Amino acid sequence: MAGLAAAARARELGAEVVVHEKGDRPGGSMLLSSCVVWRYREWQRFRAECPTGDPQLQRAVWEGLDDALAWLESLGAPVVVRETGNELTTGVRFDPRGLTSTLVARAGEIRLGEPLIELPSGLPVVLATGGFQGDLALVRERITTQAEKLVLRANPWSSGDGLRLALLAGARESAGMDEFYGRNLAAAPRISEADFVPLAQVYAKHALVENLRGEPYEARTWSEIDVAQ
Ligand SMILES: Cc1cc2nc3c(=O)[nH]c(=O)nc-3n(C[C@H](O)[C@H](O)[C@H](O)COP(=O)(O)OP(=O)(O)OC[C@H]3O[C@@H](n4cnc5c(N)ncnc54)[C@H](O)[C@@H]3O)c2cc1C
C-alpha cells in the first residue's frame, strides 16, 4: 500500500516514477486485508497504546490521516463503511480490490516480478517492501525460535528486503523490532489467502487463554495483539 500511495502522490506532484514490485500482482498485504485505515481519536491514547513509537512519526500519522483518507477518496477509492466499529478509533474501510486498482491506475509504470535488489545511485528511492514476515530466518532471529510453527498471514514476498537495503545504506533500526502484528487463527487444516480475514479470532476476552505450561493470560489490549505476541 505504502509504495503505490507514494508513487501516486509523487506523480501528482510532477515526479517521474517507476514502481518495482517483487510479487506477481500489485497490492501487497493491503489487497488481502480488511482495509480499515484508521487512527486513534485521542493523541494521548495513541501514545499510551504505542509508547515506544517515534512521537514525531506518530504525530504525522495522527494529524495527517484524515486528509490522506479524503485524498484516497478523491482519487475514486471505494469506501465500504465510514467507521471502524471501535469507539477509540476513527477511519474508513475501503474495498481492498478497489483501493488497489485506484492506486495502480495512478502509480505509473509498475514492473511486476522485478524486485529492488540494490539502491540505484543518484536517484531518490522510497523503500516500501512491507515487513519481514516472509523470511523464516529473520522471524526466527527477531520474533520467535518457533518461527516455522507460525502461519504466514500476509503476502509471501515481504522478506525484509527494505530493511536490509536501508541498513546497508546506513540506516538505524527503531524500537520494537521484536514486536509484530499478528492474529490468533482458527486451526483449520489448510489456510488460503481468502481465509485470512474470516479465520482471525479476536475473542480472547471471552476465552480462556493459556500458554503451553497451562499458565492463564488476560488480554491487555482491545486489539488482542498482545495475545498473539
Ligand atoms: C488479513 C489481513 C487483514 C488486515 N487488516 C488490516 C486492517 O483492517 N487495517 C490495517 O490498518 N491493517 C490491516 N492489515 C495490515 C496491513 O495490510 C499492512 O499493515 C499493510 O498492507 C502494510 O503496508 P505496506 O505498504 O507496508 O506493505 P504491503 O501492503 O504488504 O506492500 C509491500 C509490497 O512490497 C513488495 N516487495 C517486497 N520486497 C520487495 C522488493 N525487494 N522489491 C519490490 N517490491 C517488494 C511486496 O510484494 C508487497 O507488494 C491486515 C493484514 C492482513 C494480512
Side-chain angles (χ1 to χ4, degrees):
M1 174 175 200
L4 289 176
R9 180 66 178 143
R11 286 186 80 226
E12 201 174 77
L13 297 173
E16 279 179 44
V17 174
V18 173
V19 178
H20 284 261
E21 170 51 62
K22 186 176 179 178
D24 55 16
R25 53 136 185 98
S29 293
M30 172 186 72
L31 186 68
L32 312 173
S33 80
S34 307
C35 228
V36 184
V37 188
W38 57 274
R39 65 170 173 84
Y40 281 98
R41 282 185 195 278
E42 304 297 333
W43 168 248
Q44 293 308 337
R45 183 73 194 224
F46 186 9
R47 286 293 299 151
E49 296 271 350
C50 311
T52 55
D54 175 345
Q56 256 183 307
L57 201 52
Q58 290 176 322
R59 194 90 206 174
V61 172
W62 190 75
E63 285 178 355
L65 191 85
D66 298 353
D67 285 346
L69 293 177
W71 175 71
L72 285 173
E73 253 195 278
S74 77
L75 302 182
V79 173
V80 179
V81 193
R82 281 182 199 287
E83 43 118 1
T84 63
N86 176 353
E87 61 185 18
L88 296 175
T89 64
T90 172
V92 161
R93 180 179 197 144
F94 291 101
D95 169 62
R97 291 194 173 280
L99 178 55
T100 302
S101 56
T102 300
L103 289 173
V104 164
R106 285 171 172 76
E109 183 186 351
I110 301 179
R111 298 186 184 166
L112 292 181
E114 289 191 33
L116 191 73
I117 46 177
E118 60 182 9
L119 294 180
S121 63
L123 283 177
V125 176
V126 175
L127 291 172
T129 63
F132 54 76
Q133 63 272 20
D135 185 292
L136 263 187
L138 275 174
V139 176
R140 198 177 295 121
E141 179 189 315
R142 306 293 189 135
I143 308 290
T144 170
T145 51
Q146 306 199 33
E148 58 289 333
K149 293 191 180 165
L150 295 182
V151 175
L152 179 65
R153 182 177 173 260
N155 85 74
W157 305 293
S158 288
S159 52
D161 295 355
L163 175 65
R164 284 191 202 90
L165 289 172
L167 291 175
L168 274 176
R172 276 183 295 121
E173 291 181 10
S174 59
M177 292 296 287
D178 59 342
E179 296 180 12
F180 73 104
Y181 162 83
R183 290 269 174 245
N184 292 308
L185 294 179
R190 227 180 123 261
I191 297 181
S192 70
E193 287 184 348
D195 301 318
F196 283 174
V197 171
L199 284 190
Q201 305 197 344
V202 191
Y203 53 64
K205 54 184 147 321
H206 307 296
L208 180 64
V209 183
E210 290 181 343
N211 66 13
L212 286 174
R213 291 187 295 275
E215 297 156 347
Y217 182 83
E218 291 281 333
R220 285 196 298 263
T221 59
W222 62 266
S223 60
E224 300 186 5
I225 292 290
D226 59 314
V227 178
Q229 289 183 350

